[in-house]
Amino acid sequence: MTFSTFLLNAFYGFGLAMNMFIIAAGLNLIFGVLRVINFAHGMFYMFGAYIVFTVTKSWGMPFAVGVVASGLGLAVIALFIERFLLRRLYDKEHLMQLLFTFAIVLLMSDAAKMIWGTDQYSVGYPPALRGAARFGAVIVPQYLVFLCLLGPVLAIAMWLAVDRTRWGRIVRAATQDREMLAALGVNVPAVYAMVFVIGSALAGIGGALAAPRIALVPGMDATIINECFIIVIIGGLGHMWGSFLGALAFGFVVQFGTVFVPNWQDVLPYLLMLVVLLVRPWGLLGRPELSR
Amino acid sequence: MIEITKRGLLAAVAAGALLAGSASAQEPIRLGAMYPLTGGGAVYGVPAMAGHQLAVEELNARGGIMGRKIESVERDDKMNPSAASATMKELITKDRVHMVLGGLSSAVGLGMAEVSKQEKVVYLATIPKTIQLTTDKLHKHVFRIAANTDQEGDTLAMLAGKYKLSKICHLQLDYAYGHDLETGFLKALPRHAPNAKVVLTLKPKLGATDFNAFIPQVMAAGCDGVISGLWGPHFVSWVKQAAPLGFFDKIKWISGGEIGSHEIAGELKGEYPDNVISNTYELWYHAVDDTHKAFQAALAKKLGTKETPQWALLGYNGVMFAAAAIEKAKSLDPDKIADALEGLTIKTPVGPLTIDPKTHQSNTGQFWGPMVKKPGVAYRVMDPVEFIVPKM
């Protein structure tokens, strides 16, 4: 492998990682605060992609408008789900919550079939990012460069929001001890709703941003949710920089693994997860769960 | 007292129903149909089922088969071999269907063929292409009217020769269809293009959406053409990720998997790349004769669009074969239906089709050609169109 092909593959691995991070970050945020494993996250991602299709292709609006619409659309759907359904299940055991989010998957997949049918769709690149970018001998799609820049920006923005603002302190407090937080006069249900809405909107935005690179088909939710779980587990459940690191590990392992050992492409991400689970069951950056 | 009255009433009703039953026509002929109606395969399964329904409607309007109505029992195969096998068993034991049609994925087709073998009910595979169905896994009750991977591989090799490829990059999906198409192509290549060499073989996984690990390898391999079996969404994702790099400027893309169908061209529109030569079972803008035109019109009416999908033809032909076989057998006995299917020829919208009595495979042809831009048309069209019928 020459240095330029190495660089090329490293870049692609990073691009894949950032694409995945944007999606997995929302799942991770929701788990960190609500302690709910949201199986419907992949479905939210698919809805994001389909919404950007409708906005750009059917209504002829610019791609950026479509991305915003996907975020807002999923925020509305998430608010409805949290306010009227999920809120009743916070005190129930994990199995109930899992079954509930799985039911949401089934409902939304039927809804998607009713709204968009079963056709295959494609979303065009935004005109400014249609071509290729050249870095010396390395030629890469401009759109992937854009994703590579957006990922870290989003990570830093999330870190600032969670670590440096009053709202972020409340959210972190909610992960520690919700009863105490409520006793201090904070409206914990509102915090939960907000986190669920933001996490879901991130899934929608992730789907919208992924849409120009892939074919939109029913069932695209199923693969992505597995990959998101791998990333979140590798990084440490509920830890934001953990999922950033998890996404990087996932991206590089998939990219270089597929190049060097193509027959193992299916297994490698799971193998990675297995190794992490054996060595550090709480993930790369997570902390061992204390009994509370 | 009241009990007795109730019972008497029930008895009377039951007797009435029996009488009505014997007075009306005989019980209907039940055709089981299984296609993926949810998930990723629904893109193809739903139109195939529409073609199936169209054929059942047409036959029933003409009075059914042997004067008996056809009842279509439709199920979702979920594109999952184990779910499909369970569903098919239920169709046979609970719904007591007389024949089962359909399947889409090659893996599902193999599963359904196994159930058909155990239950001794005829299974007519309408879309699965794996060669195994009509070779290793062949048995008395399984038949196929889709093209198969040997036929498709043969045409791919012929095109490699026609377009004078010398260095070939070979892309196949890593599952039954891809593996068998690879074998079919490699078998035929020395015959059609003795000077061509395969310089790189890559096998992305089924359902892959990210091809960034493969695209640079193909671009670095220096091949003048790609032979591909990447169908539907795989092809679309590949195009989206490779086209910005100028991938399709230099490399010819000769592909099976029906990416020449209007479903793909109409969706990709301006993004559909140059240099693609591919196949499709049916083209709504290209009618071979009046029968074909009539089929297209009926389908357009049913689906509410003139730009009809190619998959409907396969579902439609399946029912027509089933009807012709039952008429010929004059029986619903699976063994007799199977005997009738052997060597059976029917007229289809795209010409006559015959099932080989030995291999149980029909000589299903496909339209092949380059996908070109036409002035004033928003999507690519196949032109010139060549209908290639495999030799039996």
Side-chain angles (χ1 to χ4, degrees):
Chain A
M1 180 176 264
T2 65
F3 186 61
S4 68
T5 48
F6 170 78
L7 273 186
L8 186 70
N9 283 304
F11 171 81
Y12 277 138
F14 190 72
L16 175 62
M18 290 307 101
N19 199 349
M20 293 305 302
F21 167 71
I22 296 167
I23 307 156
L27 180 71
N28 198 31
L29 182 70
I30 291 172
F31 181 81
V33 179
L34 275 62
R35 297 276 139 183
V36 170
I37 295 170
N38 184 17
F39 254 112
H41 203 73
M43 197 45 89
F44 292 177
Y45 158 89
M46 181 172 123
F47 263 64
Y50 273 63
I51 289 172
V52 88
F53 164 79
T54 300
V55 172
T56 56
K57 278 243 172 137
S58 308
W59 303 347
M61 311 278 272
F63 180 71
V65 176
V67 176
V68 173
S70 293
L72 289 177
L74 266 300
V76 171
I77 295 171
L79 188 65
F80 178 84
I81 292 175
E82 204 280 340
R83 183 71 191 76
F84 294 105
L85 305 165
L86 185 60
R87 183 166 288 189
R88 297 157 199 276
L89 296 175
Y90 288 140
D91 299 329
K92 301 283 191 302
E93 66 258 56
H94 278 312
L95 183 64
M96 283 289 285
Q97 296 170 350
L98 269 182
L99 284 174
F100 169 75
T101 57
F102 190 64
I104 297 284
V105 171
L106 298 177
L107 284 172
M108 285 180 76
S109 109
D110 271 1
K113 228 171 105 175
M114 276 188 252
I115 302 171
W116 290 287
T118 53
D119 288 349
Q120 173 174 323
Y121 298 118
S122 146
V123 173
Y125 286 109
L129 298 170
R130 189 163 284 164
R134 189 180 279 273
F135 303 97
V138 178
I139 308 171
V140 292
Q142 284 171 345
Y143 190 77
L144 211 58
V145 178
F146 162 71
L147 285 186
C148 285
L149 296 174
L150 191 67
V153 168
L154 182 78
I156 292 169
M158 280 182 73
W159 171 70
L160 286 177
V162 175
D163 260 47
R164 291 284 182 272
T165 64
R166 188 184 135 73
W167 179 81
R169 274 203 300 280
I170 292 174
V171 167
R172 274 181 295 145
T175 65
Q176 304 285 328
D177 194 331
R178 59 175 98 153
E179 285 85 9
M180 183 53 87
L181 196 62
L184 290 171
V186 173
N187 185 352
V188 176
V191 172
Y192 274 31
M194 181 78 96
V195 167
F196 190 72
V197 163
I198 291 173
S200 306
L202 279 174
I205 290 169
L209 290 172
R213 300 184 60 239
I214 55 173
L216 311 190
V217 283
M220 62 187 281
D221 58 303
T223 33
I224 205 83
I225 189 71
N226 283 343
E227 292 171 344
C228 279
F229 275 126
I230 294 176
I231 286 168
V232 171
I233 289 169
I234 291 173
L237 282 164
H239 197 287
M240 199 275 293
W241 287 111
S243 29
F244 191 81
L245 209 62
L248 281 181
F250 176 86
F252 289 130
V253 162
V254 167
Q255 178 73 23
F256 284 100
T258 312
V259 172
F260 287 119
V261 275
N263 288 341
W264 287 66
Q265 50 177 318
D266 262 353
V267 189
L268 281 173
Y270 293 95
L271 219 54
L272 174 70
M273 181 172 79
L274 198 72
V275 170
V276 171
L277 280 178
L278 285 174
V279 181
R280 278 181 74 89
W282 46 89
L284 293 176
L285 292 187
R287 259 175 244 121
E289 192 100 341
L290 299 170
S291 53
R292 349 174 165 173
Chain B
M1 277 311 280
I2 294 168
E3 273 310 303
I4 294 165
T5 324
K6 243 188 193 169
R7 223 180 264 164
L9 207 66
L10 274 175
V13 169
L18 272 176
L19 279 173
S22 60
S24 72
Q26 288 165 285
E27 75 170 318
I29 291 172
R30 287 179 298 273
L31 295 182
M34 292 175 53
Y35 292 101
L37 304 177
T38 54
V43 186
Y44 317 101
V46 169
M49 192 64 100
H52 173 94
Q53 291 163 347
L54 179 66
V56 171
E57 286 159 18
E58 281 183 8
L59 287 171
N60 275 340
R62 275 187 248 150
I65 308 173
M66 303 186 298
R68 292 165 68 170
K69 286 272 175 219
I70 307 167
E71 188 187 318
S72 171
V73 190
E74 295 160 10
R75 295 286 182 271
D76 185 0
D77 79 15
K78 303 203 167 94
M79 207 135 112
N80 173 329
S82 64
S85 302
T87 306
M88 183 164 163
K89 272 185 196 144
E90 205 179 284
L91 273 181
I92 293 167
T93 52
K94 193 165 142 262
D95 300 296
R96 291 177 299 121
V97 297
H98 299 106
M99 248 178 105
V100 180
L101 314 175
L104 187 140
S105 148
S106 283
V108 168
L110 290 169
M112 290 173 72
E114 203 50 44
V115 177
S116 137
K117 190 178 179 180
Q118 289 163 12
E119 303 288 337
K120 299 192 170 41
V121 168
V122 173
Y123 165 47
L124 189 60
T126 50
I127 306 186
K129 276 186 186 163
T130 169
I131 192 69
Q132 297 172 50
L133 268 185
T134 44
T135 52
D136 306 352
K137 301 289 161 70
L138 178 66
H139 58 80
K140 181 169 175 63
H141 296 104
V142 69
F143 295 84
R144 186 226 314 273
I145 58 157
N148 68 37
T149 46
D150 274 9
Q151 296 168 346
E152 197 172 26
D154 189 79
T155 310
L156 286 174
M158 188 272 285
L159 289 169
K162 183 175 168 187
Y163 287 95
K164 300 191 171 53
L165 300 189
S166 58
K167 291 170 80 181
I168 294 171
C169 284
H170 195 180
L171 296 177
Q172 295 293 356
L173 293 172
D174 195 7
Y175 80 113
Y177 168 65
H179 296 177
D180 293 340
L181 184 55
E182 179 189 24
T183 314
F185 169 72
L186 291 178
K187 209 161 51 182
L189 190 62
R191 196 155 20 97
H192 292 293
N195 299 320
K197 270 201 183 67
V198 176
V199 293
L200 178 72
T201 303
L202 294 174
K203 288 187 187 149
K205 64 179 179 184
L206 175 66
T209 53
D210 205 294
F211 293 104
N212 283 329
F214 301 101
I215 293 164
Q217 293 187 62
V218 175
M219 290 184 79
C223 41
D224 46 13
V226 166
I227 295 292
S228 159
L230 266 55
W231 48 265
H234 305 93
F235 172 69
V236 171
S237 296
W238 183 287
V239 168
K240 314 252 350 177
Q241 289 156 34
L245 305 171
F247 182 93
F248 290 92
D249 298 349
K250 293 157 259 171
I251 299 173
K252 255 204 177 6
W253 186 277
I254 299 175
S255 177
E258 290 84 32
I259 57 163
S261 65
H262 184 69
E263 290 92 298
I264 308 283
E267 193 37 57
L268 276 174
K269 292 208 174 73
E271 293 179 281
Y272 200 103
D274 288 327
N275 279 323
V276 175
I277 297 115
S278 185
N279 56 343
T280 179
Y281 282 108
E282 222 258 314
L283 279 174
W284 64 268
Y285 49 80
H286 180 88
V288 287
D289 58 18
D290 287 343
T291 328
H292 191 190
K293 234 177 234 158
F295 166 77
Q296 289 173 335
L299 188 63
K301 198 175 152 210
K302 182 169 172 67
L303 297 177
T305 170
K306 67 178 172 41
E307 302 177 5
T308 50
Q310 58 151 352
W311 304 99
L313 179 72
L314 295 159
Y316 182 90
N317 284 350
V319 174
M320 291 309 181
F321 255 115
I326 294 170
E327 296 246 343
K328 186 177 159 196
K330 295 192 180 57
S331 159
L332 288 168
D333 178 58
D335 289 353
K336 290 198 177 125
I337 295 176
D339 289 340
L341 275 168
E342 289 182 354
L344 182 63
T345 300
I346 68 161
K347 274 196 193 120
T348 77
V350 293
L353 263 190
T354 305
I355 289 182
D356 187 299
K358 278 201 197 71
T359 61
H360 291 189
Q361 163 73 46
S362 71
N363 59 335
T364 304
Q366 288 200 304
F367 298 98
W368 287 83
M371 301 299 287
V372 297
K373 281 184 194 147
K374 279 271 170 78
V377 185
Y379 38 78
R380 299 238 171 186
V381 292
M382 190 182 280
D383 191 41
V385 179
E386 193 184 353
F387 191 63
I388 299 181
V389 180
K391 288 178 208 78
M392 300 255 292

